[in-house]
Amino acid sequence: MAAYPRPSATVKFAIAIKVKNLEAKFHLADLARAESRATAIGYARRAILNQRDTFFKVPNGKLKLREENSGAALIFYQRNDSGTLMLSNYEIAPVSDPATTLHILVAALGTLATVEKVRILLMRDNIRLHLDRVASLGDFGEIEAVIPDGDDPELSRVAVDELLAALEIIPANLIDVSYFEMLARL
């Protein structure tokens, strides 16, 4: 008998997806108004997501387990300054057993914070607009331009700037920290 059980033939292993995006985050006074302005320039609502992100203590970057309506994923990301917008490199791996994964990661790494939010997802081409109601923090917008492999992030900057202008967000109002870092300041 083996010391550890072997995966059965029905177990499927997913490969992490590596992605890059250009992003902007900002406070919003009115989520409905923001959605109306975004749809006026061609964005369409794709989903309403209930998300819980648990952030873990890691020596570099950020690691979180995201649990939402449609499942769970482990996400590792690092951000670099890119002027008024942030450039992120991230990897995503689907998680089939979030409760066990959470238990193991909490025991091994410890947690920094848990962020709970309701997210309205709107999209146009490679641009995602998140309209977030974050527990204990309030309402925010987050734009993510998903950058195809090998493409220059600057190619998406025009579309991001167009959306920021439609939402009446000026560069001085952009936020350069994550929700869990904002929660830590409370």
Side-chain angles (χ1 to χ4, degrees):
M1 180 177 230
Y4 297 98
R6 302 267 185 235
S8 73
T10 61
V11 173
K12 294 180 181 177
F13 293 94
I15 305 224
I17 299 169
K18 292 185 179 186
V19 183
K20 191 179 286 189
N21 71 19
L22 194 60
E23 59 185 65
K25 185 180 295 176
F26 41 88
H27 286 280
L28 282 173
D30 186 340
L31 293 178
R33 183 172 183 255
E35 183 172 5
S36 175
R37 288 177 167 270
T39 57
I41 61 168
Y43 285 79
R45 184 187 279 204
R46 297 286 187 229
I48 297 177
L49 305 166
N50 294 297
Q51 296 180 331
R52 182 174 62 208
D53 293 341
T54 303
F55 289 83
F56 303 97
K57 297 175 186 174
V58 293
N60 61 24
K62 292 181 173 80
L63 179 67
K64 66 184 173 186
L65 176 64
R66 169 165 289 162
E67 299 170 87
E68 61 184 20
N69 320 34
S70 60
L74 195 60
I75 304 169
F76 171 72
Y77 64 100
Q78 296 177 300
R79 288 190 174 132
N80 301 315
D81 245 340
S82 179
T84 56
L85 304 176
M86 302 296 285
L87 184 63
S88 293
N89 294 297
Y90 60 100
E91 296 181 55
I92 300 176
V95 172
S96 61
D97 185 352
T100 301
T101 302
L102 178 64
H103 173 77
I104 291 169
L105 290 171
V106 168
L109 302 172
T111 60
L112 291 170
T114 299
V115 176
E116 295 190 13
K117 62 186 173 289
V118 176
R119 169 169 282 176
I120 299 169
L121 170 64
L122 293 97
M123 293 183 67
R124 186 184 83 186
D125 302 324
N126 68 315
I127 311 295
R128 299 166 56 99
L129 172 61
H130 304 149
L131 302 177
D132 294 339
R133 176 153 287 149
V134 184
S136 301
L137 289 179
D139 295 343
F140 295 85
E142 183 178 69
I143 299 169
E144 291 182 349
V146 180
I147 310 300
D149 196 28
D151 275 9
D152 182 354
E154 291 301 316
L155 297 175
S156 294
R157 192 174 287 268
V158 171
V160 171
D161 288 343
E162 175 196 24
L163 182 52
L164 286 169
L167 298 175
E168 299 177 334
I169 305 298
I170 61 172
N173 293 338
L174 297 179
I175 299 168
D176 63 354
V177 296
S178 64
Y179 294 137
F180 90 80
E181 290 164 317
M182 286 187 242
L183 283 170
R185 294 177 182 170
L186 294 180

